[in-house]
Amino acid sequence: MSIQKNQPQKATQKFVGRSIAIAFILQAVIIGVKGNLDVVSGKPALDVIQGMIFQGIELIVKANRSRKSFEEIDRPSQPPITPNPDN
C-alpha cells in the first residue's frame, strides 16, 4: 500500500524538480538578454560581462544547492542507530 502512496509523491517531486530547472534556465536566459540590452544601451562591455559572470556564478551555486537538496529528499531515510542494550 505504501508503494501506491509514494508514486504520487514522486510524481510531485519530479514536477517540482522540473519546474525549478525551468526557472533556472529562464533566469540564465534573462541574465543574457539583460546583458545584451545593457551593452546596446551604451554601458561598458567589461562592466556588463563582469556583472553577468557574477550573476551566472550565483545561479550555478543556487542550482547546485537545489540539486543537493533534491538528492537528499530522494535518499531513503534510514532508521537511527540505537545502542545494543546487551553491551
Side-chain angles (χ1 to χ4, degrees):
M1 189 75 170
S2 65
I3 293 173
Q4 292 174 351
K5 288 182 181 179
N6 286 340
Q7 288 177 349
Q9 184 179 8
K10 288 198 183 257
T12 302
Q13 287 176 351
K14 191 174 184 179
F15 174 76
V16 170
R18 285 185 178 177
S19 299
I20 290 172
I22 290 170
F24 283 135
I25 291 168
L26 285 174
Q27 192 172 356
V29 169
I30 290 169
I31 291 169
V33 169
K34 184 180 178 298
N36 286 332
L37 291 174
D38 287 345
V39 169
V40 169
S41 71
K43 290 185 181 178
L46 289 177
D47 292 343
V48 173
I49 292 170
Q50 183 180 14
M52 290 174 67
I53 289 171
F54 288 137
Q55 291 173 349
I57 290 170
E58 184 179 342
L59 182 63
I60 291 168
V61 169
K62 285 180 187 178
N64 191 33
R65 285 183 187 154
S66 178
R67 180 186 56 84
K68 284 182 180 180
S69 84
F70 270 96
E71 285 177 356
E72 289 176 4
I73 291 171
D74 285 343
R75 284 191 201 131
S77 60
Q78 296 182 0
I81 299 173
T82 55
N84 188 347
D86 295 335
N87 289 342

